Amino acid sequence: CIWFARRDVTLETLQTHGVGKRFKSMKVLDLIEGPITTAAVFADATRRVIASGNQVLAVVSDSLLSVQAVEGHLPALFYPRAGTPERVLGIAIGSGQSFGAMLMYPIKQMDVVDISTEMIELAMTRFRGFNHDLGTDPRVTIHLDDGRHFVERAPADYYDVVSMEPPPPTAEGVHALYSLEFYQSIERVMREDGVLMQWVPLYWLTPNEARGLVKTQAQVFPNTFLVRTGPVDFMTLS
């Protein structure tokens, strides 16, 4: 009789060589391996972390106010038109917290776009208590799509707010979401006096890369400024 021991190679690689090295004291709550990415959720008694590949995309804590939840209020607070935004486009779902925060305002429509079924599933199941149950709100439509291609097909002058929290431009396949051409496409789909908000992942960028990111956005949207939302977290608002 021969016995075989079968290991979970993906889990072992994640914990030994990947993002799991940073969270050794936390339990792997969920792990989904898919064609786009390997998405994981780590958790302990007080925190929950969502990661895509080797990139942490969101952290929630029972004892601290979520930075991403705060960020979701910024487009409404800085919206220059009368009233509040009505149509919102969210790109890169992460934990969905910032998009969920916008549901607290009387918006009429929100399109949320992500290229990864794995990230969408984890955000909708493991973070529903933190994102105002984003996936069940009748105003929200979740689109499995590439953000750049979705914007290219979207109608002109349509959205009051475009909110983006993609991985850093150094991550594989993400650089197009920080390009001049992409910002020009966003300008086309935004209404006059609309708001563009984007996460600036400073802790993954060199000073020159950070300057280049903001300068590229400001080349299309001259009225661009930075808002500090946490100890090392910044958002651009245009």
Side-chain angles (χ1 to χ4, degrees):
C1 182
I2 301 175
W3 293 88
F4 292 93
R6 186 174 182 181
R7 299 180 302 167
D8 188 327
V9 177
T10 301
L11 178 59
E12 184 173 315
T13 302
L14 183 75
Q15 293 177 317
T16 306
H17 305 288
V19 69
K21 291 192 299 181
R22 298 170 54 187
F23 306 105
K24 290 183 178 180
S25 63
M26 303 179 77
K27 174 185 176 183
V28 180
L29 189 62
D30 213 336
L31 177 64
I32 305 177
E33 188 175 10
I36 298 297
T37 188
T38 297
V41 176
F42 302 86
D44 59 21
T46 60
R47 291 186 303 159
R48 188 167 294 196
V49 177
I50 188 169
S52 174
N54 207 32
Q55 179 68 54
V56 174
L57 296 181
V59 180
V60 295
S61 171
D62 292 342
S63 58
L64 297 173
L65 181 63
S66 169
V67 170
Q68 288 190 317
V70 171
E71 291 165 356
H73 295 278
L74 295 179
L77 293 174
F78 286 96
Y79 187 57
R81 288 173 174 265
T84 56
E86 295 184 354
R87 296 193 185 104
V88 176
L89 171 61
I91 298 175
I93 193 167
S95 64
Q97 292 178 91
S98 62
F99 304 147
M102 279 189 271
L103 294 178
M104 299 177 71
Y105 298 90
I107 66 169
K108 294 181 178 178
Q109 176 189 351
M110 178 184 291
D111 292 312
V112 177
V113 183
D114 200 283
I115 198 172
S116 165
T117 56
E118 301 79 33
M119 293 302 300
I120 292 173
E121 180 177 341
L122 291 183
M124 296 300 98
T125 56
R126 297 297 186 176
F127 288 84
R128 60 188 303 175
F130 303 98
N131 60 33
H132 296 272
D133 215 352
L134 187 69
T136 64
D137 193 294
R139 296 171 293 174
V140 178
T141 303
I142 307 293
H143 303 266
L144 179 62
D145 202 347
D146 176 271
R148 179 170 55 95
H149 293 160
F150 185 91
V151 170
E152 288 175 352
R153 298 191 304 271
D157 305 317
Y158 189 77
Y159 292 104
D160 297 299
V161 170
V162 177
S163 176
M164 305 198 303
E165 296 189 38
T170 51
E172 183 178 358
V174 184
H175 65 279
L177 298 183
Y178 295 87
S179 67
L180 178 68
E181 293 78 11
F182 183 59
Y183 291 130
Q184 290 170 338
S185 295
I186 290 176
E187 183 187 32
R188 182 188 67 83
V189 303
M190 285 175 57
R191 296 177 65 194
E192 185 179 359
D193 290 333
V195 176
L196 167 64
M197 182 176 75
Q198 184 168 5
W199 176 47
V200 182
L202 283 182
Y203 31 83
W204 295 100
L205 303 174
T206 67
N208 281 337
E209 288 170 340
R211 278 192 290 267
L213 186 156
V214 177
K215 185 176 180 180
T216 302
Q217 188 170 332
Q219 189 171 339
V220 179
F221 300 96
N223 297 316
T224 294
F225 58 98
L226 284 170
V227 177
R228 184 177 182 177
T229 57
V232 290
D233 292 281
F234 289 81
M235 305 295 289
T236 54
L237 279 165
S238 298

